[in-house]
C-alpha cells in the first residue's frame, strides 16, 4: 500500500498545481491566432457545424481517415519487424501533436488548427520512411516527381474517399497550407494554398513540434537499439549536460529509466525555449492579426539562437550516428528495392493492380496512379505484396 502523506500536506501539494480552470480562463486566443471565422474555406463549400469549429472538423476527419490508421504500420526509422517498442509514423505523429497542444495553449494560438496540421503532416509518407520516398522519387523523375508533402495533399484532396459528393477529406485551406512545408509548383487538380508569405503561427508550431518530437524519440530509439550510447552524447550541447544530470540523479536507475528521463528533460528544455523565444518575438514584432504573422519577413515561432544551434548539432549527430549508421543504411537499401520492385512490376503489368487503381489512370496518368497506390501501402502490406508478386523479400532487420 502506498504510504500516506503527512497530515495537511496532501492538499498543499495539490494546491501548488496549476488549476485547470485558471488555465482555460487565461489562455484566450491571442490576436494573431487564426480562428475558423477567418478561414478562407474549403474547396467544396460546406455549412458550418452546430458546435465544432471548421478546424476541429478537419482534425476529426484526419483522425478518422484510412491514411491515418495506416501510419501505424509505416516506418519512422525502424521497421515494425525490429521490435514493438520503436516509434512508427503513428506514434511519432501523436507525440508531435501532443507537443503542439502544449505550445499552442501557452501561446494563445488555435489548438484545433495546429493539432489538425500536426496529425495530418505525415499522411503522405510512403512505406519504409524516407527510403521509400527516395525510391518513388527516382521512379517518378520523368513523370512529375514525388515527395511526401505533395503526396500528403493528394491524400487529403483526392485519394481518401469519404463523401458521395467530393473526393478527399475536403479540409480547410489553412490545414492544407500547414501540411505543405514549402512552396509547391507542381500540378495539382484542386487549388493549392497560397504560400507566398509566412505560414500561420499554428502551422509553424506544428512544424517545430514535429522536429522536437523526432529529435527526441530518435535519440531514444537509437539508444534503445544500442546504435548509440550515453557516453557518445556527452559532447552534444544541451543533451550532454542533461545526460550528466540524469546519471547523477539516478545512479542505480535502469537504462530505460535513464533514457526516458533524458528524453523528457530534453523535450521540456526545447519546448520551454521555443515558448520563451516566440514570446520575445511577439513582444518585438507585435503582430495584431494572423495576416500580420504572414506578412513578417521571417517565422515568428522560433528557438533562441543558442538552442537553434544546439538543435542543428543534435540533428547532425543523428544523421551521422543513426540515420547513416551502416546497419540502418543496409536496411534502407533493401527497403528501397521493395518499393522499386513493386512500382516496376505494376508498370509492366498494370492489369495486376486493383481495379479502382486502374480506373484512376485516365484522371491521373498510369505512373501517378501507381505511385499513389504504392505510396499508400503500409510496410507490412508492401512486404507481403512483394512476396506474393515478386518472391521472397529481402531481409529487413538490422
Ligand atoms: Mg513528421
Amino acid at each position: 500500500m502506498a504510504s500516506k502523506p503527512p497530515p495537511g500536506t496532501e492538499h498543499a501539494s495539490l494546491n501548488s498545481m496549476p488549476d485547470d480552470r485558471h488555465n482555460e480562463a487565461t489562455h484566450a486566443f491571442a490576436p494573431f491566432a487564426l480562428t475558423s471565422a477567418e478561414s478562407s474555406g474549403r474547396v467544396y463549400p460546406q455549412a458550418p457545424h452546430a458546435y465544432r469549429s471548421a478546424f476541429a472538423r478537419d482534425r476529426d476527419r484526419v483522425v478518422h481517415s484510412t491514411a491515418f490508421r495506416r501510419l501505424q504500420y509505416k516506418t519512422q526509422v525502424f521497421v515494425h519487424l525490429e521490435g514493438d517498442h520503436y516509434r512508427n509514423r503513428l506514434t511519432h505523429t501523436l507525440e508531435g501533436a501532443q507537443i503542439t497542444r502544449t505550445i499552442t495553449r501557452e501561446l494563445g494560438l488555435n489548438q484545433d488548427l495546429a493539432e489538425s496540421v500536426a496529425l495530418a503532416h505525415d499522411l503522405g509518407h510512403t512505406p519504409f520512411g524516407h527510403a521509400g520516398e527516395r525510391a518513388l522519387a527516382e521512379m517518378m523523375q520523368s513523370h512529375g516527381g514525388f515527395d511526401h508533402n505533395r503526396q500528403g495533399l493528394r491524400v487529403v484532396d483526392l485519394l481518401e474517399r469519404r463523401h458521395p459528393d467530393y473526393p478527399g477529406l475536403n479540409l480547410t485551406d489553412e490545414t492544407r497550407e500547414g501540411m505543405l512545408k514549402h512552396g509547391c509548383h507542381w500540378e495539382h487538380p484542386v487549388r493549392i494554398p497560397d504560400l507566398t508569405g509566412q505560414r500561420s503561427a499554428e502551422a509553424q508550431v506544428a512544424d517545430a513540434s514535429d522536429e522536437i518530437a523526432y529529435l527526441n524519440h530518435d535519440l531514444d530509439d537509437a539508444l534503445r537499439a544500442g546504435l548509440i550510447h550515453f557516453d557518445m552524447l556527452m559532447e552534444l550541447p544541451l543533451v550532454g549536460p542533461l545526460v550528466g544530470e540524469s546519471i547523477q540523479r539516478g545512479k542505480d536507475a535502469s537504462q530505460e529509466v535513464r533514457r526516458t528521463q533524458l528524453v523528457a528533460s530534453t523535450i521540456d528544455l526545447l519546448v520551454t525555449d521555443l515558448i520563451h523565444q516566440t514570446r520575445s518575438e511577439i513582444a518585438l514584432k507585435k503582430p495584431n492579426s494572423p495576416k500580420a504573422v504572414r506578412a513578417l519577413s521571417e517565422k515568428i515561432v522560433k528557438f533562441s539562437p543558442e538552442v537553434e544551434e544546439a538543435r542543428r548539432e543534435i540533428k547532425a549527430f543523428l544523421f551521422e550516428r543513426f540515420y547513416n549508421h551502416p546497419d540502418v543504411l543496409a536496411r534502407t537499401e533493401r527497403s528501397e528495392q521493395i518499393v522499386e520492385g513493386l512500382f516496376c512490376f505494376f508498370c509492366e503489368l498494370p492489369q495486376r493492380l486493383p481495379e479502382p487503381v486502374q480506373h484512376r489512370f485516365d484522371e491521373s496518368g498510369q505512373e501517378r496512379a501507381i505511385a499513389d497506390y504504392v505510396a499508400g501501402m503500409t510496410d507490412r502490406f508492401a512486404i507481403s505484396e512483394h512476396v506474393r508478386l515478386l518472391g521472397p523479400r529481402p531481409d529487413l532487420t538490422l
Side-chain angles (χ1 to χ4, degrees), residues 201 204 277-278 281-282 285 287 293 296 298-302:
Q204 295 181 34
Q277 185 63 30
T278 305
E281 298 291 321
I282 292 164
K285 293 172 183 155
V293 169
L296 292 170
E298 45 185 71
K299 289 196 278 189
I300 190 119
V301 176
K302 46 166 79 160

Side-chain angles (χ1 to χ4, degrees), residues 89 92 121-122 210:
R89 281 278 156 205
H92 157 69
H121 88 282
D122 269 353
D210 174 35

Side-chain angles (χ1 to χ4, degrees), residues 17-52:
M17 301 280 284
D19 184 304
D20 271 342
R21 277 167 302 172
H22 171 75
N23 275 344
E24 295 292 349
T26 54
H27 284 75
F29 279 160
F32 49 89
L34 213 169
T35 64
S36 281
E38 294 158 295
S39 169
S40 59
R42 305 176 189 277
V43 174
Y44 304 91
Q46 275 187 309
H49 188 269
Y51 50 87
R52 284 184 304 153

Side-chain angles (χ1 to χ4, degrees), residues 33 53 98 102 106 114 125 128 152 185 243 254 257 280 319 323 328 394:
S53 74
Q98 171 259 313
T102 303
E106 271 306 295
H125 260 293
F128 312 115
H185 311 290
V243 172
S254 66
V257 167
S280 313
F319 266 96
Y323 310 139
V328 175

Side-chain angles (χ1 to χ4, degrees), residues 9-259:
T9 56
E10 63 270 60
H11 291 299
S13 64
L14 276 181
N15 284 340
S16 66
M17 301 280 284
D19 184 304
D20 271 342
R21 277 167 302 172
H22 171 75
N23 275 344
E24 295 292 349
T26 54
H27 284 75
F29 279 160
F32 49 89
L34 213 169
T35 64
S36 281
E38 294 158 295
S39 169
S40 59
R42 305 176 189 277
V43 174
Y44 304 91
Q46 275 187 309
H49 188 269
Y51 50 87
R52 284 184 304 153
S53 74
F55 300 142
R57 284 174 101 181
D58 281 0
R59 179 198 57 209
D60 301 349
R61 287 174 192 191
V62 169
V63 170
H64 288 276
S65 69
T66 308
F68 187 75
R69 286 192 293 280
R70 285 183 184 158
L71 295 177
Q72 181 178 8
Y73 290 105
K74 291 199 177 200
T75 291
Q76 184 63 27
V77 178
F78 289 96
V79 288
H80 71 277
L81 303 163
E82 286 166 321
D84 291 343
H85 297 152
Y86 295 112
R87 270 67 172 193
N88 56 51
R89 281 278 156 205
L90 181 64
T91 58
H92 157 69
T93 296
L94 295 175
E95 289 183 29
Q98 171 259 313
I99 294 170
T100 298
R101 278 195 296 275
T102 303
I103 300 171
T104 42
R105 194 181 156 109
E106 271 306 295
L107 295 174
L109 294 170
N110 191 336
Q111 193 172 309
D112 288 342
L113 172 57
E115 206 177 350
S116 85
V117 172
L119 291 168
H121 88 282
D122 269 353
L123 290 181
H125 260 293
T126 62
F128 312 115
H130 291 288
E133 180 175 21
R134 268 196 303 277
L136 274 185
E138 171 96 30
M139 299 290 100
M140 290 297 287
Q141 226 171 26
S142 46
H143 306 286
F146 181 92
D147 87 83
H148 77 268
N149 269 299
R150 165 206 184 123
Q151 193 62 19
L153 212 57
R154 286 185 69 79
V155 168
V156 300
D157 285 345
L158 300 168
L159 300 174
E160 282 285 323
R161 294 280 163 173
R162 315 287 297 174
H163 200 277
D165 299 336
Y166 54 77
L169 302 176
N170 196 23
L171 303 180
T172 61
D173 281 349
E174 290 72 21
T175 296
R176 296 167 66 240
E177 170 214 61
M179 293 173 66
L180 278 178
K181 290 199 179 189
H182 33 71
C184 85
H185 311 290
W186 49 71
E187 90 297 338
H188 188 70
V190 294
R191 74 166 185 256
I192 286 187
D194 175 21
L195 287 174
T196 43
Q198 299 298 328
R199 294 182 310 152
S200 68
E202 285 80 0
Q204 295 181 34
V205 169
D207 267 6
S209 304
D210 174 35
E211 179 120 4
I212 294 172
Y214 80 71
L215 286 179
N216 282 284
H217 64 51
D218 287 354
L219 277 179
D220 188 26
D221 280 352
L223 283 165
R224 178 189 285 278
L227 295 179
I228 62 170
H229 304 283
F230 282 108
D231 53 3
M232 294 160 79
L233 301 175
M234 295 301 275
E235 296 302 308
L236 272 181
L238 208 138
V239 177
L242 293 173
V243 172
E245 251 175 57
S246 73
I247 292 172
Q248 278 301 319
R249 257 189 291 138
K251 284 200 172 61
D252 302 321
S254 66
Q255 291 285 309
E256 178 155 27
V257 167
R258 205 170 274 175
R259 249 188 6 248

